[in-house]
Amino acid sequence: MEIFIPKETVPHERRAALVPDTAKKLCALGCKVVVESNAGNHSDFADSDYEAAGAQITTDRSAGLASADLVARVRKPPVSEVGSQKKGAMHMSFLDPFNEPELIGSLAAAGVTAVSLEMMPRTTLAQKMDAISSQANLAGYSAVIVACRRLSKIFPMMMTPAGTLSPAKVFVIGVGVAGLQAIATAKRLGARVTAFDTRAEALEQAESLGAKALRIDLGETGGTDQGYAKELTPEQLEKQRIEQAKVCAQSDIVITTAKLFGRKAPILITKDVVAKMTRGSVIVDLAAEGGGNVEGTIVHEEVITENGVRIVGLAPLECDVAQHASLMFSSNIVNFIEHFWDPEAKEMKFDLSDEILKSCVITHGGETVHERFKA
Ligand code: NAD
């Protein structure tokens, strides 16, 4: 099986879909691994590192796409490149399938088997292939580091002869994978952390990490069978905003992480709440690429409001630690390949009735096969 790793082309994207260590694993399985020259540049992997791992380097992207049985990348491919893959080949990446009907249509038309990493089921078996989680974990860490660098205060409490400095107050809204890592990182640095989530179990997890849980009675909230939060009603969201506003006003740092998979991110912090926050405080909006949780977020930018609050919309923040993000992403890819590997045939064995494949394969055999996207 021939695997091709093209260089990522989306601006701000620093990750590579495969790192030398995992390329070595695939070569050991019996795969031929071809990597586009400079694919690892922004995550600090040189072409020579891939070559030492057994991969081949090419400068001919079109040829790489055309001859591969599997193309793996981080970001969705441009529609213009889909036709370059051969019929029956596989494509794996984040595909943003809810917002990309044209792309899905062209993958189907090209006869490509397209795997959407976002659709990986949230089961124990598929956990090792879950790139949303592996990347969110690092984004949560980076959000705290980014905020820490911008805050003109220190995180830990410090008692010195010159006076006592109180610990930074961090408020984390959305305690999923990213939020939990943000809490853990902020606690390690000595901050006082408060957290809110619409899911009761998420608040218990926050408490177990030493955060104070903000409890707001929103009535029925719940989650989906995949562990995602359900969308709140406008009334519930309004109640949440009012209760949160008090905590925001007292916080040095607010980190928002509520993405609501497949839908536009909910606005959790409105302009009037930002206006009541103190000068020098920092908001990091991890949902910036999906529309943002904060009124005033501009994706890929940092904004300083009239009252001196900094809103950070830099994204994706996992790219700040691109080497580790690539390492985890590529492990997710290799775990997927290994899971379906047939050692005798030296290729992947495909049965679309498999629970994992049923969930993440969007197109196959010239058509859209995933129930949610057929229409
Ligand atoms: P996400 O990125 O969609 O959302 C982040 C968090 O924001 C979630 O905890 C969500 O409940 C919360 N949220 C949504 N709307 C909100 C609102 N209005 N106010 C405050 N918070 C809000 O979710 P995620 O982090 O990718 O995953 C959520 C959960 O899924 C995880 O905490 C975990 O329990 C579960 N999960 C399970 C597996 C598995 O079983 N393999 C893998 C990954 C995640």
Side-chain angles (χ1 to χ4, degrees):
M1 187 169 97
E2 185 172 328
I3 302 174
F4 179 58
I5 308 298
K7 190 173 183 304
E8 297 294 320
T9 50
V10 171
H12 309 285
E13 185 50 70
R14 304 178 62 79
R15 290 166 288 183
L18 202 69
V19 303
D21 268 358
T22 40
K24 199 172 180 175
K25 276 194 186 170
L26 291 175
C27 293
L29 278 185
C31 300
K32 175 179 171 188
V33 179
V34 183
V35 178
E36 186 177 354
S37 180
N38 295 327
N41 259 8
H42 296 303
S43 44
D44 295 325
F45 297 109
D47 284 353
S48 54
D49 297 330
Y50 286 100
E51 280 173 327
Q56 291 176 20
I57 296 293
T58 183
T59 50
D60 191 342
R61 183 182 179 93
S62 311
L65 288 169
S67 74
D69 302 300
L70 165 63
V71 173
R73 55 201 292 167
V74 179
R75 295 291 186 135
K76 59 192 168 195
V79 171
S80 58
E81 269 189 355
V82 170
S84 311
Q85 274 196 254
K86 68 184 179 196
K87 209 171 164 190
M90 182 185 267
H91 175 97
M92 285 186 80
S93 70
F94 290 128
L95 283 179
D96 196 10
F98 289 98
N99 298 311
E100 289 290 349
E102 191 194 348
L103 175 62
I104 301 306
S106 58
L107 285 161
V112 170
T113 300
V115 174
S116 163
L117 294 174
E118 297 95 331
M119 299 300 292
M120 206 55 79
R122 306 202 116 180
T123 58
T124 309
L125 189 62
Q127 220 165 2
K128 59 184 186 216
M129 315 168 199
D130 181 356
I132 286 269
S133 294
S134 74
Q135 302 304 298
N137 199 0
L138 295 174
Y141 165 86
S142 292
V144 175
I145 304 301
V146 160
C148 185
R149 293 283 304 275
R150 279 142 182 92
L151 189 71
S152 53
K153 297 179 174 181
I154 63 165
F155 264 45
M157 179 170 167
M158 215 179 258
M159 293 167 92
T160 79
T164 297
L165 298 172
S166 41
K169 293 191 204 89
V170 176
F171 183 26
V172 177
I173 305 177
V175 190
V177 180
L180 283 171
Q181 188 56 252
I183 293 171
T185 306
K187 287 297 291 181
R188 272 182 221 126
L189 289 169
R192 192 178 296 159
V193 184
T194 304
F196 174 71
D197 198 294
T198 53
R199 295 178 303 120
E201 67 268 28
L203 286 182
E204 280 162 27
Q205 289 165 354
E207 283 174 324
S208 73
L209 289 174
K212 180 175 172 233
L214 171 67
R215 287 201 157 75
I216 306 172
D217 183 8
L218 295 174
E220 176 60 28
T221 49
T224 68
D225 54 358
Q226 289 284 304
Y228 290 110
K230 285 194 179 141
E231 203 166 353
L232 297 186
T233 63
E235 294 74 31
Q236 284 175 315
L237 259 181
E238 189 51 28
K239 186 162 185 198
Q240 174 184 348
R241 288 192 200 112
I242 292 166
E243 295 296 319
Q244 277 176 180
K246 300 170 201 160
V247 184
C248 290
Q250 291 160 4
S251 298
D252 299 302
I253 292 171
V254 177
I255 296 173
T256 65
T257 77
K259 288 185 173 167
L260 285 192
F261 178 51
R263 283 157 287 160
K264 190 181 174 302
I267 292 289
L268 303 180
I269 300 186
T270 49
K271 279 203 169 103
D272 54 314
V273 174
V274 177
K276 289 190 185 112
M277 288 176 65
T278 53
R279 180 167 295 278
S281 49
V282 180
I283 302 174
V284 182
D285 188 346
L286 278 182
E289 274 189 321
N293 291 143
V294 183
E295 247 174 23
T297 293
I298 301 180
V299 67
H300 304 307
E301 288 188 25
E302 294 191 44
V303 178
I304 299 181
T305 62
E306 263 176 39
N307 61 322
V309 175
R310 190 183 287 263
I311 305 175
V312 181
L314 304 180
L317 276 186
E318 52 270 38
C319 286
D320 276 14
V321 288
Q323 188 171 106
H324 273 166
S326 304
L327 193 81
M328 287 194 166
F329 186 94
S330 71
S331 290
N332 296 138
I333 298 279
V334 173
N335 289 336
F336 180 87
I337 296 171
E338 278 180 340
H339 188 81
F340 295 103
W341 191 251
D342 179 342
E344 271 165 30
K346 291 213 182 299
E347 58 183 25
M348 288 168 79
K349 217 187 202 160
F350 240 68
D351 175 0
L352 284 186
S353 63
D354 174 274
E355 282 306 314
I356 294 174
L357 297 178
K358 219 164 41 183
S359 180
C360 67
V361 172
I362 312 293
T363 65
H364 178 71
E367 50 185 326
T368 302
V369 291
H370 197 291
E371 288 300 327
R372 287 179 77 173
F373 304 104
K374 269 184 181 169

